[in-house]
Structures are given as structure tokens and as C-alpha cells.
Amino acid sequence: MKCQICKKPSVINLRPHHMSLCKEHFLNWVPKQVEKNIEKYKMFSHDEEIMVAVSGGKDSLALWDILNRLEYKTIGFYIDLGIEEGIGYSEKSKELTIRFAEENNLSLEIISLDDRYNVNIIDMAKIAKQSKKVCSTCGLVKRYLMNEIVIKNDIKVFATGHNLDDEVSFLFGNTLNWQTSYLARQAPVLEAHGNFARKVKPLCRMYEREMAAYALLRGIDYIHVECPFSEGSRTIYYKEILTDMESVSPGTKIHYYTKFLNAKKEGIFDKVDQNELERLQPCSSCGQPTSAGRCSFCSLIEKVQNVQIEKK
């Protein structure tokens, strides 16, 4: 196939977009699409500093690279969860993130669970009785630490590398279970509230395949393996189902996602209670917003520390 723009040999066939592009034009096309998303959903401006959650994976590093190319002001944020199974997952992903930041002269903040709380995510999952569902504990920890770093740095915008495949898998799972409160909150932009920064997903309309190709062609060295605890997760299963549908009918994912956003805009979830943020109060221990007197993170950390004391 030939590039639709210059007629040189193409490196990727973008079936949902009915076009093929060479390396040069593909690497120019991706940032333009991301900037369109930023402008379309009014995510942020060039005057604002954006904190980018980076994990060492293709999507987050590619997002950081794209925002840098588009000349946005960014600071990276990496959470060292202490996952050393397999290849030493956390250590390897941290190494790649640090190298990317140094090579591109970008600022990076790192928080280590071990350094700060003398614990790793596996210990926390065991205490939470979620040793077979580490992802649940991981999500709790990430949300807490992300909010903590945002408050510390007075950041107003927090960007994550969720791509279209991530978004439609969440959408699919929440639709199967008809989780209306989650569906009502799912969006490219979650506006700021209290101590919560504005959360944005600039890659929300970019296919995972497109981001993998972008990272490869840009020479971004990222961790290629999935987290060792993600095996068997429903999210991955949903992704496989939707990818099978996409292969039969290109454009299925973007159609599904945009139709969902249009339905939200038309008021399909207007009667769903979306006022959970209004009912939050400061945690008695750390001051972060919580629906209880004490947040789940502080309660879990205390349990872990008590177990550690008992073992001594």
C-alpha cells in the first residue's frame, strides 16, 4: 500500500479511517489527532501545566512525547508499586520512564510505596483480602497518590494515557452490568472539584494499535509485557471481544464510544445521581476527600503497619 498523502510506501493501514500513511505522515498525523481531542473536549491550554501519569508503558510515554512535541508544559508522575514478579516489573518500568525523561529533558516526580510507607502493593492486597484481585488495591493506591501529588504541586490538570481500547472496554463492562453511576461519570474530561484536579484523557479516541505503532516508529523504549497481575482480568477479556468485532467491522470501537458520548450529551443519564463528589468530606487522617470519616487508603495502610508490628 502507498501513503495517501505522498504515495511513498505506507507503514500502517488505518482501516477505521480508510487510509494508509508512511512513517513521516503517520508521526505527524497522530499529534494532530490528539490536539483535536484536546480542543474538542476543552481539556487544557498551553498556559496550564499538565501532570502526566506515566507507567513505562507505550500509551503514557507516547502521550508525554506527543504533549512535548505540541509544546505543552508537562511534568511526569510515576508510582513505584514494588511489583517485582516476573522481570522485576516495577523496577524495569521505572528505569524506562526515567530514561525517557532524561533523554527528552523532561521533569519527572517519583513516589515509591516502599520508601514512603515501607510496604508494596502485594502486601496491601493481601491485607485487603484481594490477593487474587491486586488490580482493585492498585487502583485505590494510584488514585490516592495521584491526588496527593496533585495537591502537593498545586496541579490543575492531570492527564492519563487511556486510549480508545481502554475506554470502550470500561464502557462495555459497565454496560453489561448496567453500572449507571460509572457510565454517567465516564468522559474524556472529569472536571475539577475541591482538591481534585481536572482529569483528562487526550488519547481517548486513539486506537491502542495506533499508539503502539507511534511508540515503535518514534523509537520510544517502553515495557512490552503487561503487569503480571493483569492476567485473566475482565478488562483484557472485554478488549479481546471488541477487537474481534473491530476486525470484522472496522470503526466499531470509535462508533461505540462516540455514540455513547452523544447519548450522554443528549441527557440519557441526567436522572442518575452524580453528586457523590458533593458528599465528600476531608479524611480525618490525611485530609483527602472521602465519603467516610477516614479514607480507604489510610485505613488499609494502618492495617498493613499493624500486621508488620505484630510480626516483629
Side-chain angles (χ1 to χ4, degrees):
M1 291 187 179
K2 294 184 178 181
C3 174
Q4 185 171 312
I5 298 173
C6 68
K7 307 307 178 186
K8 291 180 180 179
S10 65
V11 296
I12 187 168
N13 180 19
L14 303 167
R15 293 179 68 198
H17 307 288
H18 307 289
M19 67 178 180
S20 296
L21 295 173
C22 66
K23 177 180 177 179
E24 178 187 354
H25 287 112
F26 175 69
L27 290 179
N28 288 333
W29 177 81
V30 171
K32 289 179 182 177
Q33 298 308 304
V34 174
E35 183 126 69
K36 284 181 181 178
N37 294 339
I38 293 169
E39 293 173 353
K40 178 180 178 66
Y41 299 112
K42 299 179 175 60
M43 293 184 178
F44 45 78
S45 70
H46 280 86
D47 295 327
E48 297 176 286
E49 184 174 44
I50 301 103
M51 178 160 277
V52 184
V54 284
S55 64
K58 64 183 183 308
D59 300 301
S60 60
L61 292 181
L63 172 60
W64 203 8
D65 180 72
I66 290 166
L67 295 181
N68 187 38
R69 289 180 65 193
L70 293 172
E71 299 183 339
Y72 285 100
K73 295 182 290 187
T74 65
I75 178 172
F77 172 50
Y78 177 86
I79 301 174
D80 185 349
L81 296 166
I83 300 174
E84 299 311 326
E85 278 69 12
I87 61 170
Y89 184 81
S90 288
E91 195 59 36
K92 181 63 176 177
S93 60
K94 180 170 67 174
E95 174 192 325
L96 292 170
T97 301
I98 292 172
R99 187 190 307 165
F100 178 86
E102 290 176 345
E103 289 175 350
N104 292 278
N105 195 29
L106 295 169
S107 298
L108 174 66
E109 287 227 21
I110 297 175
I111 284 186
S112 167
L113 263 181
D114 186 36
D115 291 344
R116 181 163 296 203
Y117 299 104
N118 191 31
V119 69
N120 63 45
I121 195 69
I122 313 306
D123 295 332
M124 295 184 74
K126 287 178 180 177
I127 300 301
K129 297 181 180 180
Q130 293 177 329
S131 57
K132 293 184 179 179
K133 295 182 179 180
V134 177
C135 296
S136 298
T137 304
C138 186
L140 166 68
V141 171
K142 284 181 177 178
R143 285 190 296 273
Y144 181 89
L145 294 179
M146 285 177 182
N147 197 43
E148 183 179 72
I149 202 73
V150 160
I151 295 171
K152 172 189 170 186
N153 289 276
D154 193 28
I155 298 294
K156 305 303 181 187
V157 186
F158 195 94
T160 60
H162 291 96
N163 58 45
L164 176 64
D165 293 59
D166 296 321
E167 289 299 285
V168 294
S169 66
F170 299 151
L171 177 57
F172 189 65
N174 288 331
T175 304
L176 280 178
N177 296 290
W178 208 235
Q179 299 280 0
T180 54
S181 61
Y182 290 128
L183 288 168
R185 291 197 300 273
Q186 184 174 353
V189 177
L190 184 60
E191 292 297 341
H193 183 275
N195 287 332
F196 290 114
R198 186 186 330 136
K199 293 183 174 65
V200 299
K201 303 172 185 176
L203 305 183
C204 64
R205 294 168 66 105
M206 305 300 298
Y207 281 79
E208 184 171 17
R209 175 174 173 267
E210 294 167 356
M211 300 319 302
Y214 178 88
L216 176 66
L217 295 172
R218 281 285 290 172
I220 297 173
D221 193 8
Y222 63 90
I223 192 161
H224 290 265
V225 297
E226 295 282 353
C227 171
F229 295 103
S230 66
E231 184 178 350
S233 76
R234 290 187 179 182
T235 298
I236 292 177
Y237 176 55
Y238 295 153
K239 279 187 178 183
E240 291 171 350
I241 292 173
L242 290 159
T243 296
D244 286 343
M245 295 171 67
E246 179 79 22
S247 65
V248 175
S249 181
T252 294
K253 293 176 185 177
I254 192 66
H255 179 78
Y256 181 34
Y257 185 62
T258 53
K259 285 295 183 181
F260 161 71
L261 294 181
N262 288 340
K264 280 192 66 178
K265 192 174 181 179
E266 292 169 4
I268 190 173
F269 296 115
D270 281 357
K271 293 184 180 180
V272 176
D273 183 6
Q274 300 183 54
N275 296 319
E276 289 184 22
L277 291 176
E278 300 290 345
R279 294 191 290 269
L280 297 181
Q281 56 188 330
C283 167
S284 59
S285 295
C286 68
Q288 285 207 34
T290 179
S291 57
R294 198 165 187 226
C295 74
S296 299
F297 180 86
C298 287
S299 297
L300 182 54
I301 282 291
E302 183 181 41
K303 289 179 182 178
V304 173
Q305 291 172 341
N306 287 339
V307 169
Q308 290 174 337
I309 292 171
E310 290 172 4
K311 288 181 177 180
K312 291 181 179 180

